[in-house]
Amino acid sequence: MSAELVDATATVRSAFAERFGGQPEGLWAAPARVNLIGEHTDYNDGWVLPLAIDRRVTVAAARRSGGLLRLLSLQRGEQVLRLAAVRPGAMNGWAAYVAGAVWSLAQEGTQLDGLDLVLTSDVPVGSGLSSSAAVECATLLAARDLHGGPEDRARLALVAQRAENEVVGVPCGIMDQMAAMACTANHALLLDCRSLAAEHVPLALDAADLVLLVIDTRVAHALADSAYADRRRTCQEAARILGVPSLRDATDADVETARDRLGGVRYRRARHVARENARVLDVVELLRRGQPERIGPSLTASHASLRDDYQVSAPELDTAVEAALAAGALGARMTGAGFGGCALALLPAGAAEQVAEAVTATFAAREFGPPEIFPAHPMDGARRLA
Ligand code: ADP
Ligand code: MG
């Protein structure tokens, strides 16, 4: 266990004893994730390639009787809820993510009479590293181990996604929950968002003397929600014009042929999706061959496409990418839905310090707030710790 994880387990254990009395029945953790490549492809039935990272939500939990959920987030405070009152449309705030996971497990047929739960997290919130799925998946695994339920990781990811879709009310895809549930150390997870088929693809960064830096810009531009809905709609229209079920089924050549029929904006959006899907598969091929040092150009091409064709970047993300590349990164791109959040950069391990310093200095020169920069190591998905 890493030092951070040892600290987090001691923290939730003692907070549990202090607040609820006695020892928890177990401890669980679920990781945050970054998407290596495959952006805005998920809702087009395409491919994504996330990896779990060493930031996580850690949970201590025990069963209780009497129909209550007593929930304590060390970041957000305490909520006590009646289990019977948890349902779609009835909740808001952070407790919806936790109670939603419990509700969703109950929909699978699991009988629950109550739960005491303490959680702590070192995942930045709202940066696109998916703190929400980490909360859901850590909670769900705890509730499943204590009360019974599905074994299959893909099934568990769907149960967690249902919590977010129905109880929280966010129409997210399946990538975040699948990454949190199914990733393995030293691998990225190739996920086919149509079939949900998942494949572990080797990503042995340490062995290749590479570092993957996460650059959290710590900005979230207001445009994000409306632009996301707009992009989804435009993609559906483009698919209809192309005569395919979804843009996953269109190649770059198909999009080119239909350029006039699609019109300028739909053409550019569809071109991004078709090319991005192809880039994911190119990267996977290189990783399968054990050549992670060669994926850089695909990462950088993904960024250019998200900036110019899909138009979801932001000045801070462009700056992070440009500065990282200028300082020696092999490739860099925004990751996540865009308009803020994180960028990532792949670099030779020896260049980590110089790249981080260059990005920080460029942010300061452009009068952006300081970014948070840290290395991401591909980690295991959600698991029981004790
Ligand atoms: P992200 O990109 O981090 O997933 P979301 O908006 O999807 O951003 O989810 C963030 C929400 O998840 C928070 O507003 C909060 O409701 C919940 N959450 C995340 N971390 C915690 C935490 N430590 N304690 C309680 N709730 C949390
Ligand atoms: Mg989220």
Side-chain angles (χ1 to χ4, degrees):
M1 267 194 225
S2 68
E4 291 83 9
L5 191 50
V6 171
D7 283 353
T9 55
T11 303
V12 287
R13 200 186 272 287
S14 67
F16 189 97
E18 192 176 307
R19 172 59 189 87
F20 300 128
Q23 288 294 313
E25 289 184 88
L27 303 174
W28 293 262
R33 62 102 189 93
V34 291
N35 190 19
L36 188 59
I37 192 162
E39 219 63 76
H40 289 278
T41 46
D42 56 345
Y43 53 83
N44 290 299
D45 280 353
W47 290 272
V48 293
L49 191 63
L51 54 132
I53 65 173
D54 46 350
R55 295 281 179 123
R56 67 192 64 76
V57 168
T58 308
V59 155
R63 287 168 288 187
R64 55 172 289 114
S65 54
L68 284 186
L69 287 177
R70 298 196 298 182
L71 311 175
L72 174 61
S73 159
L74 298 185
Q75 287 72 45
R76 296 288 176 106
E78 187 171 331
Q79 295 263 337
V80 179
L81 312 161
R82 278 189 311 111
L83 197 48
V86 178
R87 59 177 183 278
M91 311 222 25
N92 48 43
W94 69 268
Y97 294 85
V98 183
V102 174
W103 171 87
S104 189
L105 181 65
Q107 304 310 300
E108 296 291 293
T110 296
Q111 301 282 331
L112 289 104
D113 194 25
L115 196 67
D116 286 338
L117 184 146
V118 175
L119 74 85
T120 191
S121 171
D122 62 359
V123 184
V125 172
S127 291
L129 299 175
S130 204
S131 67
S132 58
V135 169
E136 292 149 9
C137 291
T139 303
L140 178 61
L141 211 61
R144 193 282 312 264
D145 284 350
L146 294 174
H147 293 278
E151 285 294 323
D152 179 62
R153 290 271 165 162
R155 181 79 225 149
L156 287 166
L158 287 163
V159 174
Q161 183 199 16
R162 186 173 181 191
E164 186 148 344
N165 289 166
E166 297 189 29
V167 177
V168 180
V170 172
C172 61
I174 190 64
M175 167 168 63
D176 298 353
Q177 291 80 8
M178 271 299 276
M181 281 294 180
C183 279
T184 57
N186 293 316
H187 291 77
L189 187 75
L190 173 64
L191 181 63
D192 178 331
C193 296
R194 172 172 279 161
S195 67
L196 295 192
E199 178 191 334
H200 300 287
V201 182
L203 184 63
L205 295 173
D206 292 347
D209 226 9
L210 294 173
V211 165
L212 190 63
L213 281 187
V214 175
I215 303 163
D216 183 355
T217 65
R218 299 161 94 172
V219 296
H221 293 291
L223 224 61
D225 285 352
S226 61
Y228 183 79
D230 167 80
R231 296 300 182 281
R232 286 188 78 136
R233 196 168 353 93
T234 306
C235 287
Q236 281 169 1
E237 290 166 9
R240 191 157 8 89
I241 292 169
L242 286 162
V244 291
S246 59
L247 287 182
R248 142 74 172 270
D249 304 295
T251 63
D252 191 25
D254 296 335
V255 174
E256 221 44 61
T257 306
R259 182 172 188 155
D260 290 344
R261 274 189 295 135
L262 285 166
V265 170
R266 279 186 297 253
Y267 164 71
R268 289 165 89 178
R269 305 295 188 250
R271 182 165 73 172
H272 165 73
V273 175
R275 291 182 173 177
E276 184 78 353
N277 276 321
R279 277 188 288 268
V280 176
L281 300 180
D282 288 346
V283 165
V284 164
E285 202 40 51
L286 290 169
L287 294 179
R288 282 188 189 125
R289 282 195 242 138
Q291 298 177 323
E293 70 286 351
R294 292 184 54 199
I295 69 172
S298 293
L299 302 183
T300 306
S302 168
H303 184 77
S305 174
L306 288 157
R307 182 190 60 210
D308 302 334
D309 276 351
Y310 219 66
Q311 297 180 300
V312 291
S313 191
E316 295 85 351
L317 291 167
D318 294 340
T319 297
V321 167
E322 281 161 31
L325 290 171
L330 303 171
R333 60 182 290 271
M334 55 160 278
T335 182
F339 301 105
C342 294
L344 49 81
L346 182 73
L347 30 127
E353 218 163 292
Q354 117 204 0
V355 168
E357 279 169 14
V359 171
T360 303
T362 311
F363 268 56
R366 298 194 184 167
E367 296 184 358
F368 298 148
E372 194 196 337
I373 303 176
F374 57 91
H377 305 286
M379 304 294 281
D380 282 321
R383 63 203 167 101
R384 187 170 191 159
L385 303 169

